[in-house]
Amino acid sequence: MNNCLSKNKFCLDGKVALVTGAAHGIGFAIAEGLAGNGAKVVFNDLSQEMVDKGLAAYKEKGIDAKGYICDVTNEEQVKEMVEKIEKDAGVVKILVNNAGMIIRKPMEEMSAAEFRKVIDVNLNAPFIMSQAVIPGMLKSGGGKIINICSMMSELGRETVSAYAASKGGLKMLTKNIASEYGGRNIQCNGLGPGYIATPQTAPLREEGHPFNSFIIAKTPAERWGNPEDLAGPAVFLASPASDFVNGHILYVDGGILAYIGKQPK
């Protein structure tokens, strides 16, 4: 038995972990956490420029990652990427469906094409990615699929109809993959971030901004999350420690979903 695994249920030594859209942000933090526990990280992005930026960022962290250009909504590109990864690094044993997008618009202003685009990236792509890696997982004895869900898998909010629909669908895709492949040693779970401090949310987090005050008041932890807060939960869901956890959505939200909010004064 692998010496690391014999002593540590969180060990990922030698396992190939594919994290989509992980050149930066939440995906990068998750990939860094997986690499820190021994996984071989591979990732994709839409352009060579973004892949190169990601590779430089991983190198700076001392991580020997491999990057690929791929549109996760394109079945042929995904199939080709997975074949390349298997040749370059080995069979994908851990898939993190992290790539995603949001369009914030009131429903009456959103076109059907915009709605479909969000569904394509956030829901169809995880289906396409999972479908591409499952055969290799089955042949090699199993694997882990982690879908990046959202609090919007459970809640609604103004201006995010497409996003909430896609993440609600992703929650149910997670449960179905778990149901269909659990008996063949594939565990599929979701990771549901709360409000995370990233460059994209920086303007909303400025002192005095109403949304910043709203989020802090709604969060029992009384702060925004950091991308690094997702690394440990991702390692758990990717590791043998979670071998009997399947079809679960682990919300990393500082307690928002458990909290009704403060009584107005």
Side-chain angles (χ1 to χ4, degrees), residues 9 44 87 96 110 115 151 157 197 234 249 254 260 265:
K9 286 289 187 180
N44 80 292
K87 291 177 182 176
V96 182
M110 179 175 284
F115 189 92
M151 290 187 301
R157 186 166 185 274
I249 314 298
I260 196 170
K265 294 181 180 179

Side-chain angles (χ1 to χ4, degrees), residues 102-239:
I102 187 169
I103 296 176
R104 292 184 176 90
K105 277 189 178 182
M107 275 187 66
E108 70 268 22
E109 296 176 15
M110 179 175 284
S111 69
E114 289 173 321
F115 189 92
R116 290 190 191 101
K117 185 175 182 181
V118 175
I119 297 293
D120 205 22
V121 174
N122 293 354
L123 180 56
N124 291 342
F127 168 81
I128 292 167
M129 289 297 312
S130 300
Q131 188 182 56
V133 302
I134 283 173
M137 290 180 176
L138 292 174
K139 290 178 184 176
S140 62
K144 304 279 187 172
I145 297 174
I146 303 170
N147 291 324
I148 303 302
C149 294
S150 167
M151 290 187 301
M152 297 301 109
S153 297
E154 302 289 343
L155 301 172
R157 186 166 185 274
E158 65 276 5
T159 77
V160 295
S161 57
Y163 185 81
S166 69
K167 292 299 185 177
L170 186 57
K171 176 183 74 171
M172 293 312 300
L173 177 63
T174 300
K175 292 176 179 290
N176 201 81
I177 293 172
S179 301
E180 194 162 344
Y181 293 100
R184 301 173 75 179
N185 198 33
I186 291 177
Q187 291 86 49
C188 181
N189 293 288
L191 196 59
Y195 285 92
I196 305 297
T198 64
Q200 288 80 7
T201 61
L204 299 174
R205 290 182 282 110
E206 291 178 359
E207 192 67 32
H209 194 294
F211 193 76
N212 183 58
S213 303
F214 168 69
I215 292 305
I216 290 174
K218 287 291 291 180
T219 307
E222 297 183 350
R223 68 173 178 87
W224 289 64
N226 297 308
E228 295 74 21
D229 288 323
L230 296 161
V235 168
F236 167 65
L237 293 179
S239 73

